[in-house]
Amino acid sequence: MDDVDLHVIGVSFRTAPLAVRERLALTPEGVTAALRAAVAAGVGEAFVLATCNRTELYVVGSSRAGAVDAWHRAVVAGTADGACPALAADARYHRSGGAAAEHLFRVACGLDSSVLGDAEVVGQLRRAVDAGTAAGTVGPRLRRLADRVLAVAKRARATTAISAGGAGVGSAAASLVAGRVAPGSSVVLVGAGDAASVIARELTKRLPCRLTVVNRSPERAAAVAGRFGAEARPWADLVPALAEADAVVTAVSGPSAVVTAEVIAAVRRLRPGWSPFVVDAGFPRNVEPVAGLDVVALDSVAEREQRLRAVRRAAVPAVERLVAEGLRAWAERELRSLSLTNAS
């Protein structure tokens, strides 16, 4: 399959520290801009998988050099500060043909995640492909690949223990809080997106607590709070809400910190000596470092999530067999399709 013009170029937690991944983080608007730049560079189809653990560009219909050019253009167009190609080049990897497809299968099945068996990446991949479809950059070839990958990922989680315990950063963050604070404690969740919803779900399973959700969108805060028996508070109440917290979990996607040094100072004026347990599951980081505040950052969340790792590790060989089967089926269909296209 090395002759198939499929490429993936990107950085991940395996190749780049958190500070570099933050520079290369893409908002939904940044993803759209990156896709437009990649297609303008001459690739046939493209989608971007942008998560807290990776920023990857998948393309078909391009040479190897063309794919690299598309990546550089996408990075410049999509990042908040136009992160320079040199920064991305220092940590990037590039796989082509069958190796690129295999990489995507492994990512979707949770074999290439900071938390083995990550259950959240399937939804992230689905949304990435949908975003490419909406932008007009995902065509039949990438759609066929994505459909096959998602089917295998679903089967892996249904038939093996690769995601035992709801593996993922959200689950890990909730587990950390549940292990650190007492039942009945006040926990503030800042954010109301997909990651925050996972954290709220997992936290309420693990810890009887008084959960408060604060978000810029009051409607989204109310929706998350309503699902999990929590209280929703408006963004204007961030400081007083934090002042009541024994633990804080942040999961906001945005270009800059939301719990800034200024916010923390305001909280401490209301509650002198305030120093809750804080899990920063946001990307880029949501909490500015301040003396006396115990903050567990995203990479540490993944590193400390070990409780079910042995169970998941035992499932790896079975998942790898599913990946091999799925890759083989995709390759056979892709080669048939290319043969028919070339014949016509």
Side-chain angles (χ1 to χ4, degrees):
M1 288 298 294
D2 290 342
D3 54 340
V4 174
D5 54 349
L6 168 69
H7 303 270
V8 57
I9 305 177
V11 300
S12 77
F13 73 100
R14 296 189 185 281
T15 66
L18 180 60
V20 171
R21 301 199 314 273
E22 286 179 324
R23 289 282 307 281
L24 297 173
L26 298 178
T27 63
E29 296 75 18
V31 167
T32 300
L35 289 172
R36 288 173 179 162
V39 171
V43 303
E45 300 179 26
F47 72 82
V48 170
L49 181 57
T51 76
C52 56
N53 283 322
R54 66 188 70 251
T55 300
E56 296 178 336
L57 173 69
Y58 290 82
V59 303
V60 295
S62 173
S63 65
R64 186 176 180 85
V68 172
D69 181 52
W71 161 258
H72 286 171
R73 291 172 183 262
V75 166
V76 171
T79 51
D81 61 355
C84 65
L87 174 68
D90 288 342
R92 76 162 191 251
Y93 43 84
H94 184 175
R95 299 183 176 93
S96 301
E102 182 180 11
H103 176 78
L104 184 58
F105 275 100
R106 293 183 65 83
V107 167
C109 288
L111 297 177
D112 191 62
S113 300
S114 60
V115 175
L116 181 65
D118 186 351
E120 297 159 31
V121 71
V122 174
Q124 293 166 337
L125 173 57
R126 187 176 290 112
R127 289 189 292 274
V129 176
D130 288 347
T133 301
T137 65
V138 168
R141 293 183 61 192
L142 284 181
R143 174 59 68 177
R144 284 196 300 269
L145 172 62
D147 287 348
R148 179 74 65 174
V149 166
L150 288 168
V152 170
K154 181 179 179 180
R155 186 179 174 195
R157 287 171 175 81
T159 62
T160 79
I162 192 65
S163 295
V169 170
S171 176
S175 181
L176 282 169
V177 174
R180 185 68 174 261
V181 302
S185 296
S186 173
V187 180
V188 171
L189 174 60
V190 183
D194 292 338
S197 295
V198 172
I199 291 168
R201 183 190 70 213
E202 297 300 320
L203 186 59
T204 52
K205 286 180 184 178
R206 291 167 164 79
L207 180 72
C209 65
R210 292 176 286 116
L211 180 63
T212 300
V213 181
V214 183
N215 191 60
R216 287 193 177 94
S217 165
E219 295 79 13
R220 295 188 72 174
V224 173
R227 287 203 299 275
F228 303 106
E231 176 189 3
R233 295 183 67 170
W235 194 251
D237 281 358
L238 177 62
V239 168
L242 291 175
E244 298 169 8
D246 302 304
V248 177
V249 187
T250 65
V252 177
S253 175
S256 58
V258 292
V259 182
T260 61
E262 182 180 2
V263 167
I264 294 167
V267 173
R268 285 178 170 169
R269 285 194 290 272
L270 286 178
R271 185 177 171 183
W274 178 79
S275 185
F277 178 58
V278 181
V279 177
D280 186 346
F283 185 77
R285 281 169 284 194
N286 294 162
V287 183
E288 287 187 346
V290 171
L293 197 62
D294 181 12
V295 181
V296 179
L298 183 67
D299 282 0
S300 296
V301 171
E303 290 168 5
R304 293 171 65 173
E305 202 278 343
Q306 298 292 336
R307 185 171 59 87
L308 292 170
R309 193 168 180 83
V311 175
R312 297 179 201 139
R313 279 195 176 279
V316 168
V319 176
E320 288 181 333
R321 286 192 292 272
L322 292 174
V323 167
E325 292 170 7
L327 181 62
R328 191 160 48 247
W330 168 80
E332 291 171 356
R333 182 171 181 180
E334 184 73 1
L335 288 174
R336 282 199 305 272
S337 177
L338 290 175
S339 296
L340 291 172
T341 301
N342 292 335
S344 63

